[in-house]
PDB file of all heavy atoms in Angstrom:
ATOM      1  N   PHE A 660      14.304  14.348 -23.060  1.00 92.00           N
ATOM      2  CA  PHE A 660      15.202  13.252 -23.522  1.00 92.00           C
ATOM      3  C   PHE A 660      16.663  13.652 -23.396  1.00 92.00           C
ATOM      4  O   PHE A 660      17.516  12.850 -23.018  1.00 92.00           O
ATOM      5  CB  PHE A 660      14.864  12.879 -24.975  1.00 92.00           C
ATOM      6  CG  PHE A 660      15.362  11.543 -25.382  1.00 92.00           C
ATOM      7  CD1 PHE A 660      14.675  10.401 -24.946  1.00 92.00           C
ATOM      8  CD2 PHE A 660      16.503  11.377 -26.158  1.00 92.00           C
ATOM      9  CE1 PHE A 660      15.147   9.136 -25.316  1.00 92.00           C
ATOM     10  CE2 PHE A 660      16.953  10.133 -26.519  1.00 92.00           C
ATOM     11  CZ  PHE A 660      16.272   9.016 -26.086  1.00 92.00           C
ATOM     12  N   SER A 661      16.947  14.916 -23.706  1.00 92.00           N
ATOM     13  CA  SER A 661      18.323  15.389 -23.571  1.00 92.00           C
ATOM     14  C   SER A 661      18.785  15.389 -22.114  1.00 92.00           C
ATOM     15  O   SER A 661      19.913  15.028 -21.798  1.00 92.00           O
ATOM     16  CB  SER A 661      18.447  16.809 -24.156  1.00 92.00           C
ATOM     17  OG  SER A 661      19.742  17.322 -24.005  1.00 92.00           O
ATOM     18  N   THR A 662      17.888  15.764 -21.222  1.00 89.00           N
ATOM     19  CA  THR A 662      18.214  15.740 -19.791  1.00 89.00           C
ATOM     20  C   THR A 662      18.411  14.305 -19.308  1.00 89.00           C
ATOM     21  O   THR A 662      19.244  14.048 -18.451  1.00 89.00           O
ATOM     22  CB  THR A 662      17.093  16.420 -18.979  1.00 89.00           C
ATOM     23  OG1 THR A 662      16.915  17.761 -19.473  1.00 89.00           O
ATOM     24  CG2 THR A 662      17.426  16.477 -17.507  1.00 89.00           C
ATOM     25  N   LEU A 663      17.595  13.378 -19.848  1.00 86.00           N
ATOM     26  CA  LEU A 663      17.764  11.968 -19.501  1.00 86.00           C
ATOM     27  C   LEU A 663      19.140  11.456 -19.912  1.00 86.00           C
ATOM     28  O   LEU A 663      19.797  10.721 -19.164  1.00 86.00           O
ATOM     29  CB  LEU A 663      16.651  11.164 -20.145  1.00 86.00           C
ATOM     30  CG  LEU A 663      16.639   9.661 -19.859  1.00 86.00           C
ATOM     31  CD1 LEU A 663      16.402   9.412 -18.360  1.00 86.00           C
ATOM     32  CD2 LEU A 663      15.562   8.955 -20.675  1.00 86.00           C
ATOM     33  N   LEU A 664      19.577  11.854 -21.074  1.00 87.00           N
ATOM     34  CA  LEU A 664      20.915  11.459 -21.543  1.00 87.00           C
ATOM     35  C   LEU A 664      22.011  12.070 -20.680  1.00 87.00           C
ATOM     36  O   LEU A 664      23.027  11.417 -20.379  1.00 87.00           O
ATOM     37  CB  LEU A 664      21.120  11.880 -22.991  1.00 87.00           C
ATOM     38  CG  LEU A 664      20.254  11.150 -24.044  1.00 87.00           C
ATOM     39  CD1 LEU A 664      20.513  11.782 -25.420  1.00 87.00           C
ATOM     40  CD2 LEU A 664      20.565   9.687 -24.063  1.00 87.00           C
ATOM     41  N   LEU A 665      21.792  13.292 -20.248  1.00 86.00           N
ATOM     42  CA  LEU A 665      22.771  13.934 -19.391  1.00 86.00           C
ATOM     43  C   LEU A 665      22.876  13.238 -18.040  1.00 86.00           C
ATOM     44  O   LEU A 665      23.993  13.041 -17.536  1.00 86.00           O
ATOM     45  CB  LEU A 665      22.381  15.420 -19.175  1.00 86.00           C
ATOM     46  CG  LEU A 665      23.326  16.263 -18.340  1.00 86.00           C
ATOM     47  CD1 LEU A 665      24.697  16.341 -18.987  1.00 86.00           C
ATOM     48  CD2 LEU A 665      22.754  17.669 -18.126  1.00 86.00           C
ATOM     49  N   LYS A 666      21.735  12.827 -17.502  1.00 83.00           N
ATOM     50  CA  LYS A 666      21.747  12.100 -16.235  1.00 83.00           C
ATOM     51  C   LYS A 666      22.339  10.713 -16.389  1.00 83.00           C
ATOM     52  O   LYS A 666      22.856  10.143 -15.403  1.00 83.00           O
ATOM     53  CB  LYS A 666      20.337  12.011 -15.679  1.00 83.00           C
ATOM     54  CG  LYS A 666      19.755  13.340 -15.222  1.00 83.00           C
ATOM     55  CD  LYS A 666      18.360  13.160 -14.669  1.00 83.00           C
ATOM     56  CE  LYS A 666      17.791  14.487 -14.167  1.00 83.00           C
ATOM     57  NZ  LYS A 666      16.410  14.340 -13.629  1.00 83.00           N
ATOM     58  N   ALA A 667      22.290  10.188 -17.600  1.00 80.00           N
ATOM     59  CA  ALA A 667      22.845   8.832 -17.841  1.00 80.00           C
ATOM     60  C   ALA A 667      24.344   8.805 -17.648  1.00 80.00           C
ATOM     61  O   ALA A 667      24.926   7.741 -17.350  1.00 80.00           O
ATOM     62  CB  ALA A 667      22.463   8.339 -19.218  1.00 80.00           C
ATOM     63  N   PHE A 668      24.993   9.952 -17.825  1.00 78.00           N
ATOM     64  CA  PHE A 668      26.438  10.007 -17.599  1.00 78.00           C
ATOM     65  C   PHE A 668      26.775   9.962 -16.105  1.00 78.00           C
ATOM     66  O   PHE A 668      27.901   9.632 -15.734  1.00 78.00           O
ATOM     67  CB  PHE A 668      27.014  11.297 -18.188  1.00 78.00           C
ATOM     68  CG  PHE A 668      27.075  11.293 -19.688  1.00 78.00           C
ATOM     69  CD1 PHE A 668      26.157  11.993 -20.436  1.00 78.00           C
ATOM     70  CD2 PHE A 668      28.067  10.588 -20.355  1.00 78.00           C
ATOM     71  CE1 PHE A 668      26.184  11.986 -21.838  1.00 78.00           C
ATOM     72  CE2 PHE A 668      28.132  10.563 -21.736  1.00 78.00           C
ATOM     73  CZ  PHE A 668      27.194  11.276 -22.485  1.00 78.00           C
ATOM     74  N   GLN A 669      25.803  10.236 -15.263  1.00 74.00           N
ATOM     75  CA  GLN A 669      26.030  10.276 -13.829  1.00 74.00           C
ATOM     76  C   GLN A 669      25.703   8.940 -13.160  1.00 74.00           C
ATOM     77  O   GLN A 669      26.296   8.587 -12.159  1.00 74.00           O
ATOM     78  CB  GLN A 669      25.210  11.392 -13.201  1.00 74.00           C
ATOM     79  CG  GLN A 669      25.488  12.762 -13.781  1.00 74.00           C
ATOM     80  CD  GLN A 669      24.558  13.831 -13.262  1.00 74.00           C
ATOM     81  OE1 GLN A 669      23.666  13.559 -12.478  1.00 74.00           O
ATOM     82  NE2 GLN A 669      24.756  15.078 -13.732  1.00 74.00           N
ATOM     83  N   THR A 670      24.723   8.238 -13.682  1.00 73.00           N
ATOM     84  CA  THR A 670      24.317   6.961 -13.087  1.00 73.00           C
ATOM     85  C   THR A 670      23.868   6.008 -14.174  1.00 73.00           C
ATOM     86  O   THR A 670      23.237   6.404 -15.122  1.00 73.00           O
ATOM     87  CB  THR A 670      23.200   7.150 -12.055  1.00 73.00           C
ATOM     88  OG1 THR A 670      22.744   5.873 -11.621  1.00 73.00           O
ATOM     89  CG2 THR A 670      22.029   7.922 -12.638  1.00 73.00           C
ATOM     90  N   GLU A 671      24.209   4.744 -14.027  1.00 64.00           N
ATOM     91  CA  GLU A 671      23.870   3.733 -15.018  1.00 64.00           C
ATOM     92  C   GLU A 671      22.376   3.405 -14.974  1.00 64.00           C
ATOM     93  O   GLU A 671      21.803   2.928 -15.942  1.00 64.00           O
ATOM     94  CB  GLU A 671      24.673   2.459 -14.740  1.00 64.00           C
ATOM     95  CG  GLU A 671      26.171   2.637 -14.963  1.00 64.00           C
ATOM     96  CD  GLU A 671      26.543   2.821 -16.416  1.00 64.00           C
ATOM     97  OE1 GLU A 671      25.762   2.363 -17.272  1.00 64.00           O
ATOM     98  OE2 GLU A 671      27.581   3.463 -16.696  1.00 64.00           O
ATOM     99  N   GLU A 672      21.714   3.637 -13.844  1.00 60.00           N
ATOM    100  CA  GLU A 672      20.325   3.265 -13.689  1.00 60.00           C
ATOM    101  C   GLU A 672      19.387   4.073 -14.571  1.00 60.00           C
ATOM    102  O   GLU A 672      18.303   3.628 -14.927  1.00 60.00           O
ATOM    103  CB  GLU A 672      19.904   3.391 -12.216  1.00 60.00           C
ATOM    104  CG  GLU A 672      20.670   2.475 -11.280  1.00 60.00           C
ATOM    105  CD  GLU A 672      20.218   2.674  -9.833  1.00 60.00           C
ATOM    106  OE1 GLU A 672      19.384   3.557  -9.588  1.00 60.00           O
ATOM    107  OE2 GLU A 672      20.736   1.933  -8.978  1.00 60.00           O
TER     108      GLU A 672
END
Side-chain angles (χ1 to χ4, degrees):
F660 200 77
S661 178
T662 304
L663 182 62
L664 293 176
L665 182 61
K666 291 181 178 179
F668 287 102
Q669 303 173 359
T670 173
E671 295 290 334
E672 298 179 356

